[in-house]
Amino acid sequence: MEQKNAMNTSPRPAATAAKAEAQSSGGSSLFSVLVIILAFIVSVVVYKFVLGDGSHFQGGDNKNNPLPGDYLGIVYKGGVVVPVLMSMLLCVITFSIERMLTIGKAKGTKSIESFVRTVRQKLNANDINGALVACDQQKGSVANVVKAGLMKYNEMSRETGMATDQKVLAIQKEIEESTALELPMLEKNLVIISTLASIATLTGLLGTVFGMINAFAALAQAGSPDAVALANGISEALINTALGIGTSALAIVAYNYFTSKIDELTYSIDEAGFSIIQTFAGQHGNNANAGQPVRTV
């Protein structure tokens, strides 16, 4: 019975972890929805009142052709797909900045490599308190996970009713639960960035198709070939392709960059957790059977 009670003394129960993760996910979803809505509103306002301003067009009317060399008027002539692509671009930029700030905060105040090296040195010297102090100074996701493992390390060091392999499993479980709490925070909104990377190009091509249809329809209604009108229509249609490809390229670069940074943090967590478990097993391996209760009949 004592052994069973000792196994249930985890300071991070699964229910608490699930509740915290659910609350975090709800806040992230609300933020994402607000960003998308605001980005679309801003894009529509810019499209109508900045790009569609009469000063960019012949005769001061946005229904006419844009002035020569006026790219704002040319972008406006891209059609109704332009504000959709602009909102996608704003979303990619906003979520990229948000991820950059979050991952930068998750790293902590110092270099991750230096922090992991310090923790390993403290563990080799059996200075658990020193390692905890290093975690408090480092802060961030990696430090939080390592600190949770070190606290469980101290708890299992004082435990006398469990075998060493059970203590090691308890420490490993604590590190895994702490990691499960930290990783969702690092991966938020990456799905949106990857989705925008896929659909931005397709949306741009859709706008190009609409533009080409309108250009050839106007040319057919004119009754005679007009090379200037056809060239203007094609250039206006290709604006959508340029916006779509540019947005998709930026989203792909941002997604791969943040994924690599998260993998780096995950590797650091695994390295530090492995050091904690190995140190505990090495220092308490000789007492593998010392804490086991004597079975009586």
Side-chain angles (χ1 to χ4, degrees), residues 13-32:
T16 304
K19 182 178 179 181
E21 184 175 350
Q23 293 176 350
S24 176
S25 177
S28 174
S29 300
L30 179 61
F31 171 78
S32 302

Side-chain angles (χ1 to χ4, degrees), residues 81-154:
V81 181
V82 170
V84 177
L85 292 170
M86 291 174 58
S87 64
M88 292 182 182
L89 179 60
L90 289 177
C91 286
V92 171
I93 295 175
T94 302
F95 288 127
S96 297
I97 295 175
E98 185 267 340
R99 284 296 86 199
M100 186 177 299
L101 295 175
T102 301
I103 294 178
K105 183 179 179 181
K107 287 183 177 180
T109 57
K110 300 178 182 179
S111 171
I112 293 295
E113 293 80 5
S114 176
F115 168 70
V116 174
R117 190 183 311 112
T118 300
V119 170
R120 296 181 67 176
Q121 292 174 353
K122 298 293 184 181
L123 289 173
N124 292 334
N126 198 23
D127 186 8
I128 305 301
N129 293 329
L132 289 172
V133 172
C135 293
D136 293 334
Q137 295 176 349
Q138 176 71 15
K139 301 179 181 179
S141 298
V142 178
N144 292 339
V145 174
V146 174
K147 184 177 181 180
L150 292 174
M151 293 177 64
K152 195 68 175 180
Y153 185 109
N154 281 336

Side-chain angles (χ1 to χ4, degrees), residues 152-209:
K152 195 68 175 180
Y153 185 109
N154 281 336
E155 179 184 347
M156 292 295 101
S157 297
R158 297 188 298 266
E159 178 61 46
T160 60
M162 298 170 60
T164 300
D165 56 348
Q166 294 174 327
K167 296 179 181 180
V168 170
L169 289 176
I171 297 174
Q172 183 177 2
K173 181 180 179 181
E174 179 67 18
I175 294 175
E176 291 176 352
E177 290 180 353
S178 302
T179 303
L181 288 175
E182 297 292 341
L183 285 183
M185 180 190 68
L186 300 177
E187 297 175 349
K188 288 178 184 175
N189 301 326
L190 286 184
V191 174
I192 298 178
I193 295 178
S194 64
T195 302
L196 292 175
S198 301
I199 67 175
T201 303
L202 297 178
T203 305
L205 291 176
L206 180 63
T208 301
V209 171

